Amino acid sequence: MSDLPYDRQRLAARADEIIVNVRELASLGWTPATSSNFSSRLDEGHAAITVSGRDKGRLVPDDIMVVNLDGKAVGSDHRPSAETLLHTQLYRRFPDVGCVLHTHSRNQTVASRLFAGVGHVRLAGYELLKAFRGNETHETALDLPVLPNSQHMPTLAAQVDALLDRRPMWGYLIDGHGLYAWGRDMAEARRHLEAFEFLLGCELDLRRLSTVR
Ligand SMILES: CSCCC(=O)C(=O)COP(=O)(O)O
Ligand SMILES: [Zn+2]
């Protein structure tokens, strides 16, 4: 019998899923220098999340811990990700969000710098827009927001809440920092993350090509 307020078997399964998926994302170079963080909902009040500062390309079960939706560690002395609030705010706000992924790929970081002044990256006319839940045609546009960076997580979380008050979205960039993407489960969050990464790469390539023409 366990007196922990979450299901230990579910934690083990979610931790395995995070480890396998993040290893693949890290092998693509999307988690340099211990950056990035990852979480998965356990139940209505808890999430599994990466321990702060760990090498995300070499995660083991001890690198995954549990927090409540106030971001406090549960049953662990480890320090959760410094960006835990950006995960828990989504779990608190949307009961159907089951997974949040944050990466620091080169495309994400360069695009965040390039489009910070505009405040968003417009992604329009791409077949891959259908990767986002609810989109059924390429004849649409999605504005991926770019937020100013801050070391003060409540400031960042307030900016995210203000955007979410206006419209549904599946991700955002933080200037000079990286990308957050989420979904109902790991598969959906990863599909959204990969679609953003691919489309940001296309937008950057288009700009590079237009300077050499
Ligand atoms: C060296 S990366 C700086 C912090 C960061 O942006 C990040 O994604 C990782 O922080 P964590 O506390 O989750 O390891
Ligand atoms: Zn980060």
Side-chain angles (χ1 to χ4, degrees):
M1 270 294 281
S2 159
D3 55 0
L4 291 169
Y6 55 82
D7 183 322
R8 277 197 307 175
Q9 281 183 331
R10 187 172 302 161
L11 170 61
R14 295 289 194 281
D16 281 352
E17 187 179 55
I18 290 173
I19 290 167
V20 168
N21 280 272
V22 173
R23 200 166 286 158
E24 291 171 7
L25 298 175
S27 74
L28 298 170
W30 296 8
T31 70
T34 76
S35 71
S36 311
N37 35 72
F38 305 91
S39 70
S40 184
R41 183 194 286 279
L42 292 176
D43 55 42
E44 58 285 346
H46 301 91
I49 192 162
T50 44
V51 174
S52 185
R54 300 290 166 94
D55 179 346
K56 310 309 187 303
R58 297 170 192 272
L59 291 177
V60 294
D62 185 55
D63 297 327
I64 315 290
M65 61 182 291
V66 177
V67 289
N68 64 27
L69 297 196
D70 294 323
K72 299 276 175 290
V74 176
S76 169
D77 294 330
H78 292 320
R79 194 160 53 95
S81 168
E83 299 170 7
T84 293
L85 178 58
L86 302 181
H87 295 245
T88 54
Q89 77 169 148
L90 294 166
Y91 295 127
R92 269 203 311 267
R93 188 170 178 136
F94 301 112
D96 64 338
V97 167
C99 181
V100 181
L101 306 175
H102 165 55
T103 50
H104 284 227
S105 81
R106 200 179 180 94
N107 282 340
Q108 292 156 17
T109 307
V110 172
S112 76
R113 305 253 79 174
L114 196 60
F115 293 93
V118 186
H120 64 266
V121 188
R122 172 146 292 200
L123 305 169
Y126 290 103
E127 179 68 13
L128 218 69
L129 286 167
K130 287 161 62 182
F132 297 102
R133 175 146 73 104
N135 280 357
E136 290 182 359
T137 174
H138 67 285
E139 293 177 314
T140 187
L142 182 163
D143 286 341
L144 176 64
V146 187
L147 307 177
N149 198 11
S150 172
Q151 298 305 316
H152 186 245
M153 290 308 128
T155 298
L156 275 175
Q159 296 178 68
V160 175
D161 268 329
L163 285 168
L164 289 167
D165 286 343
R166 276 190 256 148
R167 61 181 173 80
M169 58 188 206
W170 297 116
Y172 58 85
L173 285 168
I174 307 175
D175 183 17
H177 185 158
L179 176 73
Y180 271 84
W182 56 90
R184 285 174 296 188
D185 53 22
M186 174 64 80
E188 186 173 89
R190 188 161 166 178
R191 194 177 79 230
H192 290 165
L193 179 80
E194 289 179 5
F196 280 132
E197 168 68 20
F198 178 85
L199 295 171
L200 290 174
C202 290
E203 290 296 318
L204 293 177
D205 279 350
L206 286 169
R207 274 152 192 80
R208 282 187 203 105
L209 290 166
S210 70
T211 62
V212 294
R213 240 189 272 141

